[in-house]
Every structure is written in C-alpha cells, then in structure tokens.
Amino acid sequence: MRLPILLLYATALSAQPSYDLLLKGGHVIDPKNKISAPRDVAIRGGLIAEVAPNIAAARARKVVNVAGLYVVPGLIDLHAHVFAGSEGRSLAGGEASIFPDAFALRVGVTTVVDAGSSGRSNFEYFKRTVIDRARTRVFALLNVGAAGMPGDAGEQRLDLMDAKAAAALAMAHPETIVGFKVAHYRGADWTPVERGVEAGTIANLPVMIDFGQFRPERPFQDLVLKKLRPGDIYTHCFYAPVPMLDAAGKLLPYLFEARKRGVLFDVGHGGAAFEFRQAVPAVQQGFPPDTISTDVHSGSLNSGMKDQLNVMSKFLNMGMPLDDVVLRSTWNAARIIRRDQIGHLSSGAIADLAVLRVEKGQFAFVDSYGARMDGTQRLANELTVASGLVVYDLNGRTRESWDKLGKYEGLGEPWWDGTRGGSRSARLPAPPARK
Ligand SMILES: [Zn+2]
C-alpha cells in the first residue's frame, strides 16, 4: 500500500504556501500584457510569481483582499525633482526638490526619474544623499549643465554644458543614469539642445527637453521635427506656448508627424506647464501624451498638480480610459528609460504594485493657469507594494485587528512590512542593470 503515502506526501506539499503575498479579488490592469480583468496576483521573493483568475488562498503566507480595487504596476513618474538638500532653487520661482519617500509611495509611485536636478558636479552627492537612501526607486536624467539646476543664471551658462563629460559620467553609472536633461534656457540658439542630443548619442541614451523660453529663432516645430531623435522626450507637452491648435481649434498636423518620427511627448505638469485649453482638445482629437508625469517639486505639489494620481485623474476625466491612463504611467515610462523589469506584472518582473480605488462623486481639478475642470472620478491609492514589500497601506488591509493581536511587545515585525522602522532601503533590490 504505497499509494496512500505518496498521496499524503503530495497533499502536504500542496498545503505548504509557496507564495509570500497574494492580492486577491482585484481587477488587474497590466497594459504591457494586455490584461484588464479580474485576476489574483501572487508574489514570491520580491518578484511577480503568478497572475491568474483564481489563486487558492492556502498557497500564500499572507493574503490581502483587494476586491473592488484596481491592481496596477507600481507607478513610474518620469519627471520629478528629488534632489532634496540641493542648493539649486531654479525651478521656476525658487521651488525646491523633495525627498522622494515623502510623496511617492503614498500615491502608488514606486519609481521616480529625477529630471535634471543634478549635473556632473553634484550627481555623486545626489546619489549618496538621496538615491541610495530612498525606499522609492530613483533614476536620474543627468543635466547637461555641470551643476544641474543651480539657479537661472547658472542654467544659462553654455560653458558648463559639456556633452562628452556628461556622457562619460552616465556611462560610469548605467544602473542609475537613464538619460540627459536640458532645461530652462532663454537664449536664441540651439546649443543646449544640441549638447544634450550629443551626450545622448555618445552614451546611447535618450534626452529630455524642457524647451525653456520659446523663441521665434528656434521654433518648437524644428525641435520635434528636426533636432530630437526617436526616443527623445519633450516634456511639458501641454504648456501654453506649445503650438497645438490652429485658428479653428484643430490640432496642428506637425504634432502627428513628430510622433511618427518617434519623438515622445511627456506631460511634466509642474507649476506652470499644464493647461486644460491645450490638453483637453489634444486628448479629444487623438493626441494623448505618451507619458503622464508630475514635474513634482515643493511648488507644484501644493498647486494644481498635487501628485501623480491627481494628474492621472485629470486625464481620466478628460475621457481617457483607465487602462490608457495606467499604460502612460507605467509601461510607457519603463520603456523610455529601458527598464523592462518594472512597469508590468509578468511573471519574474519586480513586484512593484499599486492598488487603486476609483472614487465617484463631484470633484474638480486645477491647471497651471488656475483654470478649473469639473469631474466625476478621482483615483486614490489604497496599498503600495515595492519589491514585494508592503510600503503603504491606507486602510490597514494587511493588518490584524488590534484586539485580536494580543500583547504588542515581542511581536517582531512582519516579514512583509516595509512601512515601519528606519532605513530599510537595503531590502529593496538594486535597480535592474541596463541591457
Ligand atoms: Zn522639471
């Protein structure tokens, strides 16, 4: 009678939980894999292990009920300013960078890309004081100017924009530097754009352009039709000076030409660079942004921009389907920075996730000009998972009730808990290496 023993053994094996964490009952939106359906998500060893219609609760050590919510890849903010402590205060009116953990994880953002706050003279300091210490995953677009954003006067200094030196530093930090940034230039010449593209060509990386002051000597059309390469990014795409509509309110055809060339259009909302008068007709006439990003800093955070979910909610209320809004806040951004281990929920991907709620009611949103747009939907974040650890939990969904927990002392910390205690950034694996 050997069969029953074998069966017993098999039963014992299957009863052993093989997954660390199971998000059960949610609606998964994973645009890369073209999934928008009820799915359970299982996580093991900090990675996505399985996404399936019904994964048995017994197979996981920790099960979290996320019924009625949307489970999406951890959000990626392609344009942020996180060089907290930097001397530079050039962002428009003297606004400052913010330490990423202070705003990102709580709204489902697990990865931010710092857009040029540092340059080659202060990148190492930025890396040491912020990038290596943050629990949020931070990548950098290195400013082509040596000092990053040291203030307006410093950002006009062409003598500090050295393409070869910027490229060399980027190639020495392939795990962190994902491209270059050019910003805030007021001159009539193309020099900063050309230096940025040159750095990008040497290092084989994209460049993100904030066009600075728009001037007739260097038309915006030339930037996106001639100067930028496929894969380069224009940020602030709904900024008022961008030529967007003809006199009849129709989108200008060159925009589609530029997109066809492979130039990418990023929102980069910020404090001054997003207008409903540009964005609403663009979305309605078939020119959505490639990526939805915040340009978060101490100013935009408290004005019309607010946070990644607020910017995403604006597009939701303009009529963009939620699946599209998620695509432009996850996989599209991951592709631009060439990080194929994040931004999606394939088996083996890094287990970065946000669990979102769509609130229905009367809401309103404000643009950079100060104009309001009414809406009926708003995204809120319930739970954030980074590399398989719960790093934000709005309603204690992962927690036991206080009166069932027994004595508090000696409980230790749950293995899945990334929300308590001091520095635990070491528990997040290093960003994936560039391919
Ligand atoms: Zn910016």
Side-chain angles (χ1 to χ4, degrees):
M1 290 294 286
R2 299 180 66 183
L3 196 60
I5 294 167
L6 270 176
L7 273 176
L8 258 175
Y9 182 63
T11 309
L13 261 188
S14 65
Q16 200 61 240
S18 60
Y19 297 136
D20 297 331
L21 190 63
L22 176 61
L23 304 182
K24 203 159 173 46
H27 180 108
V28 165
I29 299 176
D30 178 9
K32 179 190 184 233
N33 292 307
K34 300 190 165 44
I35 295 173
S36 181
R39 290 281 187 277
D40 295 347
V41 179
I43 292 161
R44 181 172 50 212
L47 305 175
I48 302 293
E50 186 184 355
V51 176
N54 189 11
I55 301 173
R59 295 177 65 193
R61 291 157 68 197
K62 178 79 188 174
V63 181
V64 186
N65 178 8
V66 293
L69 303 173
Y70 293 91
V71 179
V72 308
L75 305 176
I76 302 172
D77 185 351
L78 191 66
H79 185 157
H81 292 283
V82 298
F83 188 1
S86 64
E87 292 174 283
R89 295 222 156 199
S90 69
L91 306 159
E95 296 88 344
S97 278
I98 311 165
F99 195 77
D101 297 356
F103 67 86
L105 301 173
R106 58 189 294 116
V107 292
V109 173
T110 48
T111 299
V112 299
V113 181
D114 182 88
S117 310
S118 77
R120 65 184 184 280
S121 69
N122 50 15
F123 169 76
E124 305 276 359
Y125 179 73
F126 174 38
K127 183 172 186 300
R128 196 165 67 243
T129 55
V130 175
I131 297 174
D132 293 346
R133 291 171 62 201
R135 207 168 293 173
T136 311
R137 183 176 290 103
V138 180
F139 294 114
L141 295 166
L142 187 73
N143 202 305
V144 75
M149 296 182 173
D152 180 68
E155 285 180 275
Q156 309 308 318
R157 293 265 310 265
L158 297 176
D159 60 311
L160 297 179
M161 298 178 194
D162 184 331
K164 289 184 184 69
L169 187 68
M171 289 187 286
H173 292 279
E175 74 295 338
T176 307
I177 297 176
V178 295
F180 301 96
K181 176 80 186 292
V182 170
H184 306 156
Y185 189 60
R186 287 188 277 100
D189 56 304
W190 288 98
T191 312
V193 169
E194 288 165 355
R195 299 255 167 96
V197 170
E198 187 189 344
T201 303
I202 297 169
N204 187 28
L205 290 172
V207 58
M208 174 188 275
I209 306 290
D210 165 329
F211 205 33
Q213 190 179 335
F214 281 57
R215 299 183 60 129
E217 299 91 337
R218 43 175 174 85
F220 180 77
Q221 287 88 337
D222 285 0
L223 175 75
V224 294
L225 293 176
K226 295 176 186 164
K227 292 286 182 181
L228 296 185
R229 306 162 299 164
D232 289 338
I233 309 126
Y234 172 67
T235 190
H236 305 319
C237 66
F238 300 124
Y239 184 36
V242 173
M244 181 106 351
L245 307 168
D246 66 16
K250 225 170 141 275
L251 273 179
L252 296 168
Y254 85 92
L255 293 163
F256 297 96
E257 247 179 89
R259 173 159 282 173
K260 211 171 155 193
R261 282 187 68 231
V263 170
L264 300 157
F265 291 82
D266 172 52
V267 171
H269 188 303
F274 180 91
E275 292 209 323
F276 287 127
R277 278 185 300 186
Q278 301 275 70
V280 174
V283 169
Q284 287 176 349
Q285 294 178 42
F287 194 78
D290 292 292
T291 43
I292 297 174
S293 71
T294 61
D295 189 5
V296 60
H297 50 68
S298 64
S300 63
L301 185 77
N302 293 311
S303 63
M305 190 285 290
K306 296 183 176 65
D307 58 39
Q308 177 77 24
L309 290 178
N310 190 60
V311 181
M312 290 166 70
S313 298
K314 290 180 179 181
F315 286 92
L316 196 59
N317 284 285
M318 285 179 221
M320 185 184 283
L322 180 58
D323 292 8
D324 266 4
V325 172
V326 171
L327 167 69
R328 290 158 216 284
S329 309
T330 57
W331 178 235
N332 276 4
R335 273 194 296 182
I336 290 172
I337 59 170
R338 303 178 197 163
R339 288 300 187 277
D340 62 6
Q341 284 174 271
I342 57 173
H344 59 96
L345 302 177
S346 313
S347 293
I350 290 179
D352 287 358
L353 303 105
V355 179
L356 306 179
R357 184 159 31 87
V358 179
E359 298 175 338
K360 308 275 183 180
Q362 292 301 314
F363 304 107
F365 304 89
V366 176
D367 72 9
S368 302
Y369 188 77
R372 194 186 80 230
M373 182 187 79
D374 294 328
T376 57
Q377 305 179 77
R378 181 185 280 290
L379 290 165
N381 181 48
E382 279 282 338
L383 191 76
T384 310
V385 176
S387 296
L389 289 177
V390 173
V391 291
Y392 185 77
D393 182 358
L394 180 65
N395 281 304
R397 286 170 183 274
T398 62
R399 306 303 164 130
E400 182 56 272
S401 174
W402 66 272
D403 56 352
K404 292 190 186 131
L405 206 49
K407 286 184 180 174
Y408 279 11
E409 69 251 46
L411 283 172
E413 63 184 40
W415 61 269
W416 44 265
D417 184 1
T419 64
R420 294 192 300 164
S423 173
R424 232 169 309 174
S425 55
R427 288 168 62 176
L428 292 184
R434 179 189 312 289
K435 291 206 298 187

